[in-house]
Amino acid sequence: MNERLPLAIIKYNAGNIQSVMFALERLGVNAVVTDNISQIQQANKVIFPGVGEASSAMQYLRERGLDQVIRELHQPVLGICLGMQLLCSHSEENDTSCLDIVPVQVRKFISESGEGRTKAPLKVPQVGWNNIYSLRTKLFDSVLEDSFIYNVHSYYAESSKYSIASCEYGVEYAAAVRKDNFYGVQFHAEKSAGVGAQILKNFIEL
Amino acid sequence: MLCKRIIPCLDIKDGRTVKGTNFVDLRDAGDPVELGAMYARQGADELVFLDITATVEKRKTLVELVRRIARELDIPFTVGGGISNISDVHALLDNGADKISINTAAFRDPGLLRSMAKEFGSQCIVLAIDIKQEDDREWYVYLNGGRTKTEMKAMDWARRGCDEGAGEILLTSMNHDGTRQGFALGILKEMVDELSIPVIASGGGGELVHFKDVFQKAAVDAALAASIFHFNEISIPVLKVYLTENNIPVRK
């Protein structure tokens, strides 16, 4: 029973794991949801999902030593939504130090219309479908520029040289990031219809 | 650019869709999973499943249904109807629902919204509000599926709900619901201007132009309808082409 898991989904105190499982199931992939350290280390691919709040998620990971485990993974890792934000350096959500794998700051959308701005104030969180552009890397193979993906979030990773997809909501931000073997998508690939399925498939085939 | 959302609503009773449909290409139009998947293929942006099952006993089947829907559907969906406590919400979200909508129970105990938002995040808590404009021209909140009038003004409750942690407002005008004469543009616009969270318009959509108006004049974030979609009087692809031609951003 030393066979490597094709795909491990990291189990922790942030939801939406079931939706990710079902999305992978639709692609014919058997994933295992686990917080077992050796199972995670030995999987071919790791998905780090998440809906929830940054500081309590980080605390949970630290208490179980999962923070260090994630930092030291060598296989392709995909953070989704909060999972992506936790891969970054720091989040404005409750002033949280994150995993600091991708050196990018996570900021809150500003809902107030600032001075001199004529645009209507932003609704926060951003809820709904938005278009992504400047797509790079194999993660977006066969995905067209300006494809639509589903978002639910109040915080965003700043644009940087690690951006591999961009999106605009009041500001231009990183819809996806990559550093080495670590990938992250802000949107819910598991709920983004055919486009999301293609992105998950691309990750599986990396 | 963030798109405006089109949301078909499916009423569920004892695990089956209630209102008839005239989709000839479905094997079983009474199966919420099959109907939902068809809407997803047509380009619906989200779905709402509203459970109107009367007995607590039969409501248990809802969780199983939610699991089947989540397994099949690759777009977000909300489940509502009779949700009254945290453990209901746990069961639905754990089985793959993206959001839940809560109505009467939140009104009876607004603290419930706060505790749900804390536990699950505001993003998955939709506050559904049924309202009716009375002879005094004021909009009042109704409960229990529109059967019980309250003295609460619509805007006061919406503002409170927003403060307590609701992530979206689903506003249904009982004056407009079922009329197919258009949405309640006035009160919807007031809500959109007043609240910092997305507003979903419900009740009155009957023609293409009604959807254009509710997005352009009331600036809502999403529009929900039921029978016009079920009876294919307006098809979602046609609606989306029409909205695009009118410079309203929708997902293609």
Side-chain angles (χ1 to χ4, degrees):
Chain A
M1 285 302 287
N2 234 349
E3 212 176 310
R4 283 167 74 92
L5 284 173
L7 206 154
I9 300 176
I10 299 176
K11 180 178 167 185
Y12 69 119
N13 62 336
N16 101 317
I17 288 174
Q18 196 59 59
S19 300
V20 175
M21 282 288 281
F22 286 148
L24 294 167
E25 195 182 289
R26 289 193 291 271
L27 291 169
V29 177
N30 274 323
V32 175
V33 178
T34 181
D35 57 5
N36 178 297
I37 289 174
S38 69
Q39 267 192 326
I40 293 169
Q41 286 169 333
Q42 287 172 26
N44 284 327
K45 303 267 164 55
V46 175
I47 289 185
F48 182 36
V51 168
E53 190 275 317
S55 66
S56 57
M58 277 307 300
Q59 189 187 341
Y60 184 99
L61 294 173
R62 277 194 206 98
E63 280 168 7
R64 287 157 185 78
L66 283 168
D67 57 334
Q68 202 50 33
V69 171
I70 294 169
R71 282 190 195 101
E72 290 168 0
L73 291 174
H74 295 294
Q75 63 274 59
V77 177
L78 178 66
I80 299 177
C81 197
L82 179 64
M84 162 181 164
Q85 295 178 1
L86 296 182
L87 295 178
C88 298
S89 302
H90 178 269
S91 171
E92 287 185 354
E93 186 170 23
N94 292 316
D95 191 16
T96 302
S97 292
C98 300
L99 294 168
D100 199 19
I101 294 167
V102 185
V104 168
Q105 297 293 317
V106 176
R107 306 214 180 273
K108 186 164 203 238
F109 286 124
I110 307 292
S111 64
E112 295 82 33
S113 43
E115 225 173 293
R117 283 186 60 178
T118 49
K119 276 199 273 183
L122 279 188
K123 304 255 171 173
V124 178
Q126 171 178 220
V127 180
W129 299 80
N130 203 333
N131 56 309
I132 48 173
Y133 53 90
S134 303
L135 308 179
R136 299 194 293 123
T137 77
K138 283 188 181 326
L139 195 64
F140 293 100
D141 272 1
S142 305
V143 177
L144 297 174
E145 286 283 313
D146 289 319
S147 288
F148 290 97
I149 41 75
Y150 184 76
N151 304 280
V152 182
H153 60 126
S154 299
Y155 296 81
Y156 65 93
E158 287 188 317
S159 288
S160 71
K161 65 174 180 175
Y162 302 102
S163 300
I164 56 171
S166 295
C167 191
E168 203 266 344
Y169 189 64
V171 292
E172 184 178 82
Y173 66 90
V177 294
R178 179 199 173 186
K179 188 178 180 236
D180 306 324
N181 55 317
F182 291 92
Y183 294 77
V185 293
Q186 175 58 62
F187 49 88
H188 287 280
E190 75 282 8
K191 285 286 170 178
S192 294
V195 171
Q198 181 66 49
I199 292 164
L200 289 175
K201 185 166 174 279
N202 290 343
F203 175 71
I204 291 157
E205 291 172 357
L206 277 178
Chain B
M1 184 187 264
L2 183 65
C3 296
K4 301 293 188 182
R5 290 171 278 154
I6 300 296
I7 308 178
C9 177
L10 288 75
D11 285 350
I12 307 292
K13 192 176 182 193
D14 303 340
R16 306 274 298 167
T17 50
V18 177
K19 288 172 187 161
T21 66
N22 65 353
F23 290 113
V24 287
D25 52 340
L26 290 182
R27 278 179 292 117
D28 178 5
D31 178 14
V33 179
E34 199 179 344
L35 192 55
M38 188 212 60
Y39 283 129
R41 284 195 302 276
Q42 284 195 343
D45 298 307
E46 258 179 72
L47 294 172
V48 169
F49 294 88
L50 191 61
D51 186 41
I52 56 169
T53 305
T55 64
V56 175
E57 181 71 359
K58 288 190 170 162
R59 287 183 48 82
K60 306 267 185 241
T61 62
L62 181 65
V63 170
E64 258 321 296
L65 175 63
V66 163
R67 201 173 169 81
R68 283 177 55 223
I69 294 166
R71 189 163 250 141
E72 190 78 23
L73 227 59
D74 59 6
I75 59 168
F77 68 98
T78 301
V79 179
I83 292 168
S84 59
N85 57 55
I86 295 269
S87 69
D88 288 346
V89 180
H90 251 301
L92 296 170
L93 296 181
D94 286 352
N95 282 282
D98 298 282
K99 312 178 198 178
I100 60 91
S101 85
I102 180 166
N103 189 331
T104 303
F107 189 90
R108 300 278 185 224
D109 175 14
L112 205 51
L113 281 174
R114 185 163 293 265
S115 39
M116 284 178 180
K118 187 157 183 282
E119 179 94 14
F120 309 106
S122 289
Q123 82 287 339
C124 62
I125 311 297
V126 179
L127 177 60
I129 310 180
D130 296 330
I131 59 167
K132 192 171 172 185
Q133 192 173 31
E134 304 285 349
D135 294 339
D136 63 1
R137 307 306 295 159
E138 293 283 355
W139 290 90
Y140 291 93
V141 175
Y142 276 68
L143 304 177
N144 301 312
R147 290 188 298 274
T148 311
K149 184 182 186 294
T150 74
E151 293 305 315
M152 176 76 88
K153 306 251 174 75
M155 186 61 83
D156 292 340
W157 174 225
R159 217 182 274 122
R160 172 86 193 273
C162 189
D163 291 345
E164 294 286 350
E168 289 179 90
I169 300 281
L170 167 55
L171 192 71
T172 302
S173 161
M174 294 165 58
N175 304 73
H176 296 73
D177 202 22
T179 65
R180 306 192 180 193
Q181 299 292 308
F183 294 91
L185 299 179
I187 185 70
L188 283 163
K189 177 76 168 69
E190 278 180 51
M191 291 262 172
V192 168
D193 288 345
E194 178 76 18
L195 304 176
S196 61
I197 58 176
V199 175
I200 304 166
S202 159
E207 294 168 32
L208 293 173
V209 68
H210 298 154
F211 289 86
K212 177 174 92 123
D213 286 349
V214 80
F215 289 128
Q216 284 183 340
K217 294 182 179 164
V220 297
D221 301 276
L224 175 144
S227 54
I228 55 156
F229 294 139
H230 302 331
F231 290 102
N232 213 6
E233 286 161 19
I234 291 181
S235 85
I236 291 167
V238 168
L239 176 56
K240 287 205 159 176
V241 168
Y242 170 82
L243 293 173
T244 303
E245 285 168 0
N246 283 280
N247 298 318
I248 294 163
V250 289
R251 177 173 71 112
K252 290 178 267 296

